[in-house]
Amino acid sequence: ILSSQHQQAITVESFFFLFECVPSRTVLPYAAASIIMMMHLARGSSPISASSARSSSVALSRSASMSSSSMMRIRRSKNSSSLRIARARDATAGRFNTVVRASSSPVEVKEKPAETKKTKAATKKAEVAAPKRRRKRDMVKSFIKMRILDLILLTVNDEKGMNKIAGRFPTKYQTTFIELFDSYRTQLAIKHSGDNEKALKEAVQIFKVLVRAYARQLDNPHEFASTHYSVRSPFDYYYMAQAYVGALIDYDRSIVGGIKNFDTAKAQIDAGENVVLFANHQSEADAAFLTLMTEASHPGFGYSCRYVAGDRVVNDLMCKPFSMGRNLFCINSKKHINDVPELRSAKMKQNIKTVKEMEQKLKEGGQLIWIAPHGGRDRRAADGTLVPGEFDKDALALMTKLALKAGAGGTKTHFYPFSMATYDLMPPPSGLEKSLGEKRVVNYTGCGIALAEEIDLSPEAVKARAGAKADLEKDELAVETAKQVYDAVCKLYTTIEGCTGTGSEFPLPEGAARPWKDATA
C-alpha cells in the first residue's frame, strides 16, 4: 500500500494512536481509524499527526454513531428521556469512553407484562444467539486490529521501531522482548560474518512476524485443549517457528545421526503402527528440530509428530505462538503441578483427559509421539558439564501401559531412544523458575539429533538386558526400564554433543548425515 516516500512520512506514533482507540463496546473506532488511514494514504497527504487523527476519528465516529441503521439503535418510549452520546478522550488511558447522559425529565415506568411461552422461547433464543454475536463481533474487531498492526509494521525497519513495538507489550514482557531481539540480531551478525546491516534486516523481518503472533495472543489468547492441532491459518504459527529457529542453526556443523533408523521408523508409521521417541530435552525450540533436520531425508516425518508438552509452553506468552504451530498432547508437569495449589485439581483432571486421548490415538495407529521423560530441560552442572537429565520411571511406565492397550486392539507400538544436542541455541535458565516470562537469549550454533535402534521394552527383554534371573517386581521393572532407555540416550548423545558451536564442519559420526546436504550416510 505504501510507497517508500509514504513509509518515511507516516509516523509510528500516529499509527499507535489509531491502534489504541478501542473502546470495549463497539468496533466503530476500529473502522474509523482504518478509513482515516486509508484516506490519507490514498491521496498521498502529509504525515498523519496524532491530533488530526484524533479529531478526524472523533468526527467520523460521531457521525456514524448517529445513524440508526448502523451501529446503534436506541428505542425511546413516548415520555422517555432524550439520550445524548458524547465521546471524550480519557487522559490517563488514552482511549475513548462512551458517556451516556440522560435529561432530567421523568421516565414513564410501565408494568412488565407476564411472560408467555412465546416470550420465554424468544428470550431463550436470544440468550443462545448472544454468544455467537459476541464471537462474531470479537472476530471483526480482531481482524481490523490486525490490519492496523500490519500498517504499523510497514513503518518499522530498525531497532528503534522494534523498541516502540515492545513498548506496547505487557510490562513484564517488554524487557524480555527487547533483550531477545538484541540477542537475535547479534547472533545473526555472527552468521553473516559481521555484516550488521544484513543481520538487522533479517532480524527485523523475522520479528515482525513474531510481533503479529504475540499481538494475536494479547488480543485473543488461545486456550489449549488436551489435544492440540497445528494452527496454520489465518496465521501460520508453524512457519513462524520454523523460520525463527532455522535462521539460528549452523547447518554446516549440524548432524543427523541414525539415518537408517529414521528409515525404519518412517516405514512403521506408514504401515499404520506407532512410534514413540523417548528424548532428552534441552531448549524451548526442540519441537522445531525434527522437521528442520530431517525434511531433506524424510519429508513430512517431523511435521506429523505429536509432542507431549508441559503447561509452561502453553501458558507463557513468549512460548505460546511457537507451541500453537505444533501438534501437542498437553500435560501438566509434575515439577510445576503444585505451583498454584488451587489449580492442582483442575490440572490433574486435564492430565487424565489427555492420557485418555493419547490412548485413543495410539489405538488408531500411525502416530509419531515425542516425549521427554525427564520432565524438563537439561541443565548444566556447577562445573559446566552438560548431560541429559535422568528419566522419570512413571513417564515410561505410562507409555508402555498405553502401548499394551493399543496392542490388545491389534496396533503395535515401537520405542526409540532419541538424543538431542540443542542446548546452546536457546539455553534455559540455570535453575527451575516458577514464574513465567524468563529471560531469553539465543545463539547461532550447530545442533545435533540422533535416533538409536528400536528398543524392546517388554518385561522379558528388560529382564534379559538387566541380567536378572528372577522376574522383576513392578517397581523394579519401571526403574530398570527407565535406566536402560536413559543409558541408550546418553550413549547416543556423546556422538553428537560436539557439533554445537560454530566454526569448521564437525566430523560426521558413523551412520550420520548432514541436514539439507546428505539424504543418506
Side-chain angles (χ1 to χ4, degrees):
I1 298 173
L2 301 176
S3 65
S4 58
Q5 179 181 0
H6 289 147
Q7 288 183 36
Q8 296 173 0
I10 298 174
T11 64
V12 176
E13 289 81 0
S14 302
F15 281 129
F16 274 128
F17 173 80
L18 297 176
F19 188 60
E20 291 176 347
C21 291
V22 182
S24 60
R25 297 185 179 180
T26 177
V27 300
L28 185 59
Y30 281 117
S34 301
I35 293 170
I36 296 164
M37 197 180 306
M38 294 304 179
M39 288 170 60
H40 277 278
L41 297 179
R43 65 179 181 234
S45 59
S46 58
I48 306 172
S49 66
S51 60
S52 64
R54 185 184 306 116
S55 60
S56 299
S57 59
V58 171
L60 185 56
S61 297
R62 283 179 174 171
S63 62
S65 66
M66 299 309 293
S67 172
S68 60
S69 62
S70 59
M71 300 295 294
M72 298 181 183
R73 292 185 177 181
I74 305 175
R75 293 184 177 179
R76 299 182 178 90
S77 63
K78 184 176 181 180
N79 297 320
S80 66
S81 62
S82 58
L83 302 179
R84 300 192 308 273
I85 296 178
R87 294 196 176 273
R89 179 71 185 271
D90 187 327
T92 56
R95 299 178 183 274
F96 286 109
N97 292 327
T98 301
V99 182
V100 180
R101 299 186 180 94
S103 66
S104 59
S105 58
V107 178
E108 180 182 352
V109 179
K110 296 183 179 181
E111 185 178 351
K112 184 179 179 181
E115 282 191 324
T116 63
K117 289 185 177 181
K118 187 175 181 180
T119 57
K120 286 182 178 179
T123 302
K124 186 176 181 180
K125 184 177 181 182
E127 291 175 351
V128 172
K132 294 182 179 180
R133 289 197 298 270
R134 284 196 296 269
R135 286 195 296 269
K136 185 177 292 186
R137 180 191 62 196
D138 291 343
M139 287 175 62
V140 173
K141 289 172 66 175
S142 182
F143 174 80
I144 298 175
K145 195 169 185 178
M146 291 306 107
R147 299 293 74 75
I148 296 175
L149 177 61
D150 288 339
L151 292 174
I152 293 174
L153 291 173
L154 285 174
T155 70
V156 176
N157 53 23
D158 56 17
E159 184 179 5
K160 183 178 179 181
M162 294 308 302
N163 289 339
K164 286 182 179 292
I165 292 286
R168 267 63 189 182
F169 280 17
T171 304
K172 67 177 181 178
Y173 292 111
Q174 290 178 11
T175 301
T176 300
F177 184 83
I178 292 172
E179 291 177 347
L180 179 59
F181 176 79
D182 290 340
S183 175
Y184 199 93
R185 181 197 57 185
T186 301
Q187 294 304 310
L188 289 187
I190 296 175
K191 171 184 177 180
H192 295 301
S193 304
D195 190 335
N196 291 318
E197 184 177 349
K198 188 174 182 180
L200 177 61
K201 183 177 180 180
E202 183 177 357
V204 167
Q205 292 304 314
I206 289 174
F207 270 69
K208 280 184 178 182
V209 180
L210 201 58
V211 165
R212 290 184 175 94
Y214 287 143
R216 280 169 166 78
Q217 293 312 300
L218 290 170
D219 184 58
N220 185 22
H222 179 77
E223 296 294 333
F224 286 84
S226 294
T227 301
H228 171 79
Y229 295 87
S230 175
V231 179
R232 303 297 302 270
S233 66
F235 184 88
D236 195 338
Y237 289 93
Y238 170 80
Y239 171 79
M240 177 214 71
Q242 295 301 101
Y244 178 91
V245 177
L248 295 170
I249 299 177
D250 184 348
Y251 287 101
D252 290 335
R253 283 187 63 85
S254 299
I255 56 176
V256 180
I259 286 293
K260 292 182 178 179
N261 299 328
F262 280 104
D263 295 338
T264 304
K266 190 174 187 306
Q268 290 166 343
I269 295 171
D270 292 341
E273 299 173 346
N274 302 309
V275 169
V276 176
L277 309 180
F278 290 120
N280 66 309
H281 179 26
Q282 294 200 332
S283 82
E284 287 182 328
D286 279 353
F289 289 103
L290 197 55
T291 300
L292 289 169
M293 305 285 273
T294 65
E295 193 62 23
S297 57
H298 301 84
F301 181 80
Y303 182 70
S304 66
C305 185
R306 294 183 181 276
Y307 297 85
V308 179
D311 52 328
R312 296 177 68 80
V313 299
V314 298
N315 290 326
D316 192 331
L317 173 66
M318 304 299 287
C319 293
K320 285 181 72 172
F322 294 91
S323 301
M324 289 178 66
R326 305 295 165 189
N327 300 307
L328 305 177
F329 288 121
C330 299
I331 291 281
N332 294 282
S333 170
K334 287 167 57 176
K335 293 182 178 180
H336 297 288
I337 200 165
N338 293 316
D339 287 354
V340 183
E342 296 80 7
L343 298 178
R344 175 182 169 83
S345 177
K347 290 181 177 181
M348 292 295 291
K349 288 180 180 179
Q350 184 189 14
N351 284 359
I352 293 172
K353 182 179 179 182
T354 301
V355 170
K356 289 181 179 179
E357 293 179 2
M358 290 174 64
E359 179 182 342
Q360 181 59 38
K361 287 295 182 183
L362 287 171
K363 288 180 179 179
E364 293 175 5
Q367 304 296 316
L368 172 62
I369 298 177
W370 179 100
I371 181 172
H374 177 58
R377 289 167 286 180
D378 302 336
R379 258 76 174 185
R380 289 193 182 278
D383 60 0
T385 58
L386 177 65
V387 295
E390 291 186 2
F391 286 179
D392 177 24
K393 62 182 178 62
D394 294 334
L396 279 92
L398 172 63
M399 295 308 301
T400 53
K401 181 179 179 180
L402 295 179
L404 284 174
K405 290 184 177 181
T411 306
K412 190 173 182 179
T413 300
H414 306 270
F415 299 107
Y416 288 82
F418 185 59
S419 295
M420 305 189 72
T422 59
Y423 182 95
D424 288 343
L425 190 136
M426 295 177 68
S430 56
L432 293 177
E433 295 187 3
K434 291 188 176 182
S435 60
L436 301 179
E438 66 186 47
K439 180 177 179 180
R440 288 168 168 83
V441 296
V442 297
N443 294 293
Y444 176 67
T445 178
C447 297
I449 63 172
L451 188 65
E453 293 182 352
E454 180 181 352
I455 184 170
D456 186 353
L457 296 184
S458 65
E460 296 77 17
V462 173
K463 172 187 171 183
R465 286 193 295 268
K469 295 182 179 179
D471 291 342
L472 300 175
E473 296 294 332
K474 182 178 179 180
D475 191 62
E476 292 176 332
L477 178 63
V479 171
E480 186 61 33
T481 300
K483 179 181 181 301
Q484 291 180 11
V485 176
Y486 174 72
D487 289 344
V489 169
C490 289
K491 181 179 179 181
L492 199 58
Y493 181 76
T494 60
T495 67
I496 62 174
E497 61 179 331
C499 73
T500 57
T502 59
S504 59
E505 286 192 0
F506 179 76
L508 282 175
E510 183 179 355
R514 197 77 65 188
W516 300 108
K517 287 189 175 183
D518 307 316
T520 58

